[in-house]
């Protein structure tokens, strides 16, 4: 019974119902500030960063995706990570000398090194992976190629179309117009449905089903069709019969949905019949029947014998290929559709293949080799990566178009919908980029296709820097989408997943150990609490019995006073049998209930937090009453001495009394002063305590507790010998103890957490709040940044003027982006108006937005919190009773702890005055440089001081500052050199907001930095100057002077608005170097790896490698030797190789030289002097230039010298003319590099074809024997000419 009562008390005290976490719905509108702000479409707290200059807000998710992938898989890519801000700046970078339409392309030298390194790294990863075989050849695929490869490459719907193609002619319009009873139609259709499940070699049941259908139907057109189909039947196989039957059943199913029990109106049935009849008529035009057909009446369907009719009806036939033995002379359905369908019928002709339309070969495609580039290769090089990236992106996008088509067909097949028409397919392919990469797209219904335009731009050989930031982001998105499918990335993820699981297990073990220690500590405290309760009960009992004994003795007088005074506790317990029995019946340590124990445990924890054995907790009113009581006692004690004036005049008081009186007077004066000053201090201290408790970080709690002690909210308790404290201060001390415990656990697990984080898989969010706002921190981003992704609140109509701050209120049209969903793929037109159809669409659209109002991808509002102030406000608005928000709150507190540690470990400031944090590294100054005159900052009144500084601006900068009368509230961008000695050319830029100003006096050191004093500065009197306060975006404050304020404001305006001509040439991203891969060469050469000068060096090297081999294979050398052409060419490149025109002319000269060295065109002996580029050989033949710019003929152009019958550098004059035309009109060094590589490949092919073959030897000895043979031949007189 006692145990049951104790269990009941514990259950009641724990109150599990009240401890249940609240759900999100119940807290949506709980009256809090967060709920009110969300209802008004506002964000609390306001974000510190919302976008990056040059990057549209709807592309922020793509920016994060690309940057996070490049940083997460940095080791797999051999690419050193870069900061997010630098990556965004590199994407939006546009040099000053790059106009919108560059004519020479020599500005490519200014491409940021990180962009070059990242593209080359992705290209190397893709081309080395076996999965690249899937998409590299995708642009060459045709429907015929897919069919020839076999049915394993077809999806389900295409296999069905192939098997159910029409093989017998029929007038479908007349067949559908013939009247027949519904029951009869159903009966013969069910009879023919059995054919679908039969194998072609199971001929008996197929023939029986067809015969039954003929006997049942009254439609003469059906009978005629089935009889014609049976002419193709034979005893061994009935494949064509089955194909004809299945085709007929499918067409009837499409034309007559009412036969299958669906409720359809007569008008809809008529329209469906018309569509099916039109489609069937197109198929009938492709079928040619035999001229010697017999009459339908002569066809005998009777079974000739019982043995012939009793074929094995076992469906487990050995013939798995249903039409393997059927010969159809009409050709494949896909080929028929491609050859016979006209554009006039595209709107009704169903598609027969998922292969997209073949793109026209680009300039880059013509220069690339026929096969996929293999590494190492000069095609994956710092000189060639932009056009090769364009060609790769084109192939990847084409591959995704094909996969998108397969998905469309599969969905329609699953929903039993009719195939889409060719026109519908082409319309969907035209917006394939919006469907594949919707996030990179413009808002819905926009005609701007950034993906296609970027690919076309690069494939045409144009400058990469002419692409916009969105187009560059689209290219990276395509490459990363393909990279996710690579075996290398998948293997990295799998390996890291295994390593992460092991790290998580070790971390879990450490967490279990920490929890075990916490449980043991709590158990020890509970045991101490129980012991205290038992001891207090015993002490209370003994004291009570002692009083009873004394009271009884007063009546009886049995014991003396001396006996009672010497009576010990044990003597009291053993005083008599009843007392002893009562003492033994006292509750033991294990008999107290949970509520009593928890009360004492809390008291022990409070005492431990203050480091005392006795803690007296008081309210603020009780503290004030104590102080008033103490002051009253002092005043009463002072009054006890009488009249103080007479006491001092008569000198009646001794020295001790005078000292006591003086002490009382001082104490009373101090109490009175404190009574006047403490209320404000205590109010501030209480606010600080509340904020620190909400914050939960060690630093904030320690600061608040220190402030509370200064405000006399705790002190020594004279009565108990312990400490008294304010109740709120007690709570802060307990929270500090918990925070220190968390910090110890975090520091103990720091190495394990770092090990786990190295085993990357993906970036997980920190958590979500009640409104499903997702908070994210990226591992490679600044430690103080927390990004938030919010759903927009959809509202129709234009917002009111009072709702300017309601950034979350948007119309459905303004947040929609990408291609719209095709509702007809999911729900048929007749079901779309039904309740179940609408509910299905609403459910499926919740993926885009929780309101189900959008049929497209929805934009999200992204913002970033970077300061400890904004994160603390965010934590304060989170409700701990909500499970999600409580978990998020704990994670954000850990983020604040990390920010505090980073602030403590940051380097000492160098310039300016950095306050309240140290996240702006390199932007501070020592305290000795603080202004000597400290005054409060004002939030207005700087107009005169600011206007006087604008006179030093240039004319253009002054125009930007026109109308700006005050710096308060303006954005500012400061520039500093973090390391002037080691890296004087690398600057650091920081953003902030001007929040106040004052007039101060600078110290001598600061004045020297401002260049305001001369050598005898010590003799000059200080001069007051205006000083502005700058709140940094990353936390902290910076005090800046007049020499920086105007320049910073102009710089911020230009940087934010992407001002034409503005460029930060010493920005950190421009000094990036990839120490892991170095794909652009040495660090000193990396910035100029895509310049004409770099290409000139490459061209000289390639010419030197090939010249000796070509020289030994010709009798007439007009390039080297005494002619001097080669030396002049080398000299011109060394002198003028820095210009694009010089290297382009140099490449054409090199091609001309190699063309002569290889013997021209061989058979007719023509050379470059005989056949000019682009010249027509005949009047009727197109020139090379015409072939190049003709989209149809471009499919047949092949610039590669393939085959052993090619005797020179080029296949024919047209090939050479096309090449020279491409090089003559090109605008970038990259196209020149591809042209050089093509010349080298053709030259190497010529060298390989013209090797000496007098003695055939094994391949391993061929090279050595060739060299020895040439040396021996050269030793004889006249050997040079004889040898060749």
């Amino acid at each position: 019974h006692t145990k049951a009562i104790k269990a009941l008390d514990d259950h009641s005290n724990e109150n599990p119902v009240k401890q249940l976490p609240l759900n999100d719905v119940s807290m949506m509108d709980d009256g809090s500030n967060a709920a009110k702000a969300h209802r008004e479409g506002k964000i609390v707290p306001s974000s510190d960063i919302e976008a990056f200059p040059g990057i549209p807000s709807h592309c922020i998710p793509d920016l994060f995706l690309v940057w996070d992938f490049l940083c997460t898989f940095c080791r797999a890519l051999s690419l050193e990570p870069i900061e997010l801000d630098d990556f965004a700046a590199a994407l939006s970078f546009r040099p000053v000398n790059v106009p919108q339409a560059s004519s020479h392309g020599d500005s490519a030298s200014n491409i940021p090194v990180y962009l070059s390194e990242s593209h080359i790294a992705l290209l190397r990863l893709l081309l080395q992976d076996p999965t690249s075989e899937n998409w590299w050849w995708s642009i060459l695929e045709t429907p015929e190629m897919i069919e020839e490869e076999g049915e394993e490459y077809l999806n389900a719907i295409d296999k069905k179309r192939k098997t159910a193609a029409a093989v017998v002619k029929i007038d479908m319009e007349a067949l559908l117009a013939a009247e027949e009873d519904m029951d009869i139609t159903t009966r013969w259709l069910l009879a023919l449905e059995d054919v679908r499940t039969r194998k072609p070699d199971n001929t008996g049941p197929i023939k029986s089903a067809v015969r039954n259908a003929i006997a049942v139907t009254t439609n003469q057109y059906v009978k005629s069709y089935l009889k014609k189909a049976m002419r193709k039947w034979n005893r061994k196989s009935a494949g064509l019969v089955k194909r004809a039957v299945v085709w007929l059943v499918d067409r009837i199913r499409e034309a007559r949905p009412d036969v299958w029990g669906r409720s359809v109106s007569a008008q809809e049935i008529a329209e469906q019949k018309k569509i099916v009849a039109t489609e069937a008529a197109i198929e009938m035009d492709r079928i040619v029947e035999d001229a010697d057909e017999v009459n339908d009446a002569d066809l005998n369907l009777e079974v000739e014998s019982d043995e012939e009719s009793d074929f094995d009806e076992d469906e487990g036939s050995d013939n798995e290929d249903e039409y393997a033995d059927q010969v159809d002379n009409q050709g494949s359905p896909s080929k028929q559709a491609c050859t016979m369908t006209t554009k006039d019928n595209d709107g009704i002709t169903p598609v027969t293949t998922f292969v997209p339309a073949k793109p026209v070969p680009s300039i880059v495609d013509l220069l690339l080799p026929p096969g996929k580039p293999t590494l190492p290769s000069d095609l994956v090089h710092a000189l060639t990566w932009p056009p090769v990236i364009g060609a790769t992106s084109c192939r990847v996008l084409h591959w995704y178009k094909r996969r998108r088509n397969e998905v469309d067909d599969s969905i329609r097949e699953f929903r039993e919908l009719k195939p889409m028409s060719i026109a519908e397919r082409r319309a969907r392919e035209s917006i394939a980029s919006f469907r594949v990469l919707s996030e990179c797209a413009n808002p819905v219904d926009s005609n701007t296709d950034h993906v296609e335009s970027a690919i076309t731009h690069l494939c045409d050989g144009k400058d990469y820097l002419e692409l916009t930031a969105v187009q560059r982001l689209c290219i990276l998105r395509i490459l990363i989408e393909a990279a996710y499918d690579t075996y290398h990335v998948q293997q990295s993820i799998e390996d890291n997943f295994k390593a992460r699981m092991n790290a998580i297990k070790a971390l879990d073990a450490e967490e279990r150990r920490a929890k075990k220690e916490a449980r043991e500590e709590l158990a020890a405290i509970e045991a101490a609490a129980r012991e205290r309760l038992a001891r207090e009960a015993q002490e209370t009992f003994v004291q009570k019995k002692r009083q009873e004994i004394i009271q009884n003795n007063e009546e009886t007088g049995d014991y003396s006073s001396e006996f009672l005074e010497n009576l010990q506790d044990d003597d009291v317990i053993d005083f008599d049998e009843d007392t002893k029995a009562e003492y033994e019946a006292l509750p033991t340590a294990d008999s107290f209930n949970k509520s009593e124990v928890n009360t004492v445990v809390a008291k022990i924890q409070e005492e431990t937090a203050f480091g005392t054995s006795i803690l007296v907790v008081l309210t603020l009113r009780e503290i004030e009453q104590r102080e008033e009581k103490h002051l009253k006692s002092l005043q009463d004690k002072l009054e006890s001495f009488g009249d103080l004036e007479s006491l001092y005049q008569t000198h009646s008081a001794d020295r001790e009394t005078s000292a006591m009186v003086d002490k009382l007077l001082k104490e009373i004066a101090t109490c009175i002063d404190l009574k006047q000053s403490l209320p404000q201090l205590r109010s501030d201290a209480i606010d600080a305590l509340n904020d620190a408790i909400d914050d939960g970080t060690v630093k904030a709690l320690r600061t608040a507790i220190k402030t509370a002690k200064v405000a006399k909210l705790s002190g020594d308790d004279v009565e108990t010998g312990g400490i008294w404290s304010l109740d709120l201060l007690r709570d802060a001390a307990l929270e500090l103890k918990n925070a220190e415990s968390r910090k110890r656990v975090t520091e103990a697990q720091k190495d394990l957490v770092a090990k786990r984080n190295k085993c990357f898989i993906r970036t997980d969010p920190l958590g979500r709040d009640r409104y499903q706002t997702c908070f994210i921190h990226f591992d490679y981003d600044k430690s103080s940044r927390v990004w938030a992704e919010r759903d927009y609140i959809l509202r129709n109509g234009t917002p009111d003027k009072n709702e300017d701050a309601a950034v979350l209120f948007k119309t459905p049209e303004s947040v929609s982006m990408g291609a719209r969903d095709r509702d007809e793929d999911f729900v048929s037109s007749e079901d779309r108006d039904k309740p179940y159809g609408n509910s299905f669409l609403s459910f499926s659209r919740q993926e885009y937005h929780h309101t189900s109002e959008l049929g497209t991808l929805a934009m999200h509002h992204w913002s970033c919190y970077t300061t400890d102030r904004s994160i603390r406000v965010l934590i304060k608005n989170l409700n701990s009773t909500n499970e999600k928000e409580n978990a998020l709150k704990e994670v954000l507190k850990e983020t604040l702890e990390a920010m505090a540690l980073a602030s403590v470990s940051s380097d000492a400031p160098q310039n300016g005055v950095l306050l309240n944090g140290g996240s702006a590294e390199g932007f501070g100054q020592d305290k000795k440089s603080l202004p000597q005159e400290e005054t409060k900052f004002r939030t207005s009144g700087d107009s005169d001081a600011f206007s006087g500084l604008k006179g030093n601006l240039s004319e253009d900068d002054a125009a930007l500052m026109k109308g700006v009368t005050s710096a308060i509230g303006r954005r500012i961008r400061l520039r500093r050199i973090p390391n002037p000695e080691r890296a004087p050319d690398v600057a650091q830029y920081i953003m902030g907001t001007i929040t106040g100003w004052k007039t101060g006096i600078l110290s001598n050191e600061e004045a020297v930095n401002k260049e305001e004093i001369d050598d005898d500065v010590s003799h000059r009197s200080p001069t007051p100057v205006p000083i502005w306060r700058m709140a940094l975006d990353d936390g902290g404050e910076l005090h800046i002077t007049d020499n920086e304020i105007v320049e910073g404001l102009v710089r911020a305006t230009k940087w934010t608005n992407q001002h034409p001509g503005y460029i930060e040439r010493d920005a950190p991203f421009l000094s990036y170097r990839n120490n892991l891969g170095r794909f652009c060469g040495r660090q000193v050469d990396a910035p100029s790896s895509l310049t004409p000068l770099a290409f000139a060096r490459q061209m000289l090297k390639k010419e030197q490698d090939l010249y000796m081999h070509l020289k030994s294979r010709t009798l007439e050398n007009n390039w080297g030797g005494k002619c001097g052409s080669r030396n002049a060419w080398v000299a011109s490149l060394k002198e003028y190789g820095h210009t694009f025109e010089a290297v382009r002319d140099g490449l054409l000269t090199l091609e001309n030289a190699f063309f002569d060295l290889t013997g021209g065109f061989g058979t007719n002996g023509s050379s470059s002097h005989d056949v000019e580029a682009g010249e027509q050989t005949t009047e009727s033949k197109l020139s090379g230039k015409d072939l190049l710019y003709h989209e149809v003929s471009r499919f047949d152009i092949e610039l590669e010298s393939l085959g052993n019958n090619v005797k020179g550098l080029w296949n024919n004059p047209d090939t050479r003319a096309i090449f020279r035309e491409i090089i003559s009109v090109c605008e970038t060094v990259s196209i020149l590099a591809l042209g050089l590589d093509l010349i080298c490949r053709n030259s190497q092919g010529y060298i390989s074809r013209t090797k000496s073959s007098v003695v055939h030897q094994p391949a391993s000895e061929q090279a050595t024997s060739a060299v020895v043979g040439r040396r021996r031949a050269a030793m004889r007189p006249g050997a040079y000419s004889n040898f060749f």
Side-chain angles (χ1 to χ4, degrees), residues 124 127-128 132-133 136 369 371-380:
R124 290 172 61 89
L127 294 180
Q128 286 178 333
S132 60
E133 298 290 341
W136 184 262
K372 185 187 74 173
T374 57
L375 299 179
S377 172
D378 289 337
L379 295 175
V380 185

Side-chain angles (χ1 to χ4, degrees), residues 751-865:
D751 295 337
L752 293 175
V753 172
K755 183 179 179 181
R756 181 199 62 184
N757 293 338
K758 286 182 180 179
C759 306
F760 56 84
I761 295 179
R762 68 171 187 173
T763 300
D764 295 322
L766 300 178
R768 294 178 180 271
D769 63 4
R770 72 192 82 169
Y771 304 108
Q772 301 304 314
T773 301
C774 183
F775 296 89
I776 304 173
H777 172 70
F778 297 99
D779 292 338
Y780 290 90
D781 199 6
K782 295 180 180 179
S783 60
S784 61
R785 285 187 176 179
V786 176
W787 291 89
E789 180 187 17
R790 293 178 172 87
D791 284 341
Y792 283 108
I793 303 174
L794 302 184
R795 296 182 61 179
N796 294 320
T798 58
D800 298 335
K801 294 182 179 180
N802 298 328
E803 296 182 349
D804 293 339
V807 295
L808 296 182
F809 284 157
K810 295 286 184 180
T811 61
E813 294 78 12
S814 62
V815 301
S816 300
M817 65 180 189
R820 297 184 183 274
D821 275 349
R822 302 289 180 169
D823 296 340
E824 62 270 17
D825 289 351
F826 306 101
V827 180
S828 59
S829 57
E830 58 269 17
D831 294 338
R832 219 171 301 162
D833 298 332
K834 304 295 177 58
Y836 58 85
N838 291 328
S839 62
F840 176 79
L841 289 177
S842 299
F843 174 76
S844 62
R845 288 174 178 174
Q846 289 182 8
E847 179 184 4
Y848 304 137
H849 198 272
H850 63 275
T851 60
S852 304
E853 295 184 23
L854 302 180
T856 66
L857 279 178
M859 298 181 186
H860 294 83
H861 182 275
W862 282 87
S863 58
C864 182
Y865 302 103

